[in-house]
Amino acid sequence: MRTISRGRRAAAASITAVGAIALLAACGTAGGGGGGTASEQEELGDFEGSVSILAWPGYVEDGSNDPEVDWVSGFTEKTGCAVVSKSYGTSDEAVSLMKTGDYDVVAASGDATLRLIAAGDVAPVNTDLIPSYAGVYDFLKEKEWNSVDGVSYGVPHGYGANLLMYNTDVVSPAPTSWDVVFDGASAYSGKVTSYDSPIYIADAAVYLMAHEPDLGITNPYALDETQFAAAVDLLKAQRSHVGEYWSDYLKEIQAFESGDSVVGTTWQVIQNVLAGEVSNTAVVLPDEGATGWSDTWMIASKAKSPNCAYAWLDWIASPEVNAQATAYFGEAPSSDAACDFRDDCEAYHAGDADYASKIWYWTTPIAECVDGRTDVECVDYSKWTEAWSEIKG
């Protein structure tokens, strides 16, 4: 089941152009104000008896897919809140579904959170009402993708980095830089693999931050026209060396097993799978840093069951449950305490603040630059989508 969930999650970062322009424009104009009118809940009341949850596949498991994978039943037994859940396949779909008002809770990635906040579809979250929040890693709290002006809009779930994978028999010396897939990609032409999503433009921006400092990039999701053009040009140059763009991680596994790919972007969970099957792959977090993800549990501004919603946020962030959910999905948990219930936290660098500081978590690029600049307008995600089509040709 994790294979299916993770594979579907792979496509999540790609926001389709249809409908995105208006939503991103709303983000750009709402800016720091958050765009919504909802206020945070001050105290908890009686549980309503049910809660409706919208989430990535694999985030709300009740044993129906696998009898041994169930962290929903315990929640219902404890609170009396029956869980009704729906899975979605892309961030764009999640944003659209949240507008229906049918859901109390949503698990959103950083390429959707700011849009939900700007549209007023989610409410500020009173973390004092969520005891488990205290244990969440500080480096995941109050970030630009889950808060506005110091106001929290949710509870972090898990996180991970987009790493550099290489075939140890072919790629030598062992790489420490993204150079092997950008300026030095010709050495492995035709066998370079890249993530298939407009958000991958940020990976090029991370590389340029280190290698072309005169561009002045300080955040890969806040690119003005000049900076954006440089990132796009880098990816167009890379295109001739890319053998395959991947969004389904099973295909990347197969490509590295067959030798069709020898170097490119990956996830730790992919290396974990390959390590059990072959012995000629390794991963590294390059010197320049990397992009990554940190998903957030958010509460609808018009939630019909706000008390059950708060109970769910506390439950899913509690150590044992968070350990189950993030292990099943293939990512680091949100707290040290969760590692007491996992035996693979070291592989995911869970809790390593220095490691985490090198990750640029997916954040919606909007016209109002998320790096704080006010003298320029940044390129919003609708234009990232257009550029990605040009890059791939």
Side-chain angles (χ1 to χ4, degrees), residues 29-195:
T29 55
T37 58
S39 57
E40 67 180 35
Q41 192 162 330
E42 294 184 359
E43 59 183 17
L44 294 178
D46 295 334
F47 294 136
E48 298 86 358
S50 67
V51 62
S52 180
I53 302 175
L54 182 65
W56 293 113
Y59 268 24
V60 186
E61 292 296 312
D62 61 3
S64 57
N65 290 312
D66 183 338
E68 297 184 2
V69 181
D70 180 4
W71 50 86
V72 170
S73 297
F75 171 75
T76 299
E77 292 172 5
K78 179 180 179 180
T79 64
C81 301
V83 173
V84 178
S85 65
K86 179 179 176 61
S87 297
Y88 63 86
T90 69
S91 288
D92 201 38
E93 182 184 356
V95 170
S96 295
L97 287 170
M98 282 301 291
K99 292 188 175 302
T100 66
D102 293 337
Y103 306 96
D104 301 304
V105 175
V106 60
S109 289
D111 56 358
T113 51
L114 292 184
R115 292 190 289 161
L116 293 169
I117 294 170
D121 293 329
V122 292
V125 168
N126 184 348
T127 57
D128 290 340
L129 302 180
I130 306 171
S132 297
Y133 186 80
V136 172
Y137 294 128
D138 287 340
F139 56 76
L140 297 179
K141 296 178 179 178
E142 296 185 8
K143 300 301 180 181
E144 58 269 24
W145 63 89
N146 59 27
S147 65
V148 175
D149 293 340
V151 177
S152 175
Y153 276 81
V155 174
H157 178 68
Y159 68 98
N162 296 311
L163 302 169
L164 176 64
M165 174 178 279
Y166 60 98
N167 182 313
T168 56
D169 294 335
V170 178
V171 181
S172 181
T176 59
S177 167
W178 288 110
D179 176 77
V180 290
V181 299
F182 289 123
D183 291 330
S186 60
Y188 308 102
S189 189
K191 296 193 174 184
V192 174
T193 185
S194 298
Y195 187 54

Side-chain angles (χ1 to χ4, degrees), residues 262-285:
V262 300
V263 67
T265 309
T266 196
W267 296 322
Q268 182 64 50
V269 66
I270 295 175
Q271 169 61 14
N272 292 351
V273 172
L274 283 169
E277 299 175 1
V278 298
S279 59
N280 66 341
T281 61
V283 295
V284 63
L285 180 68

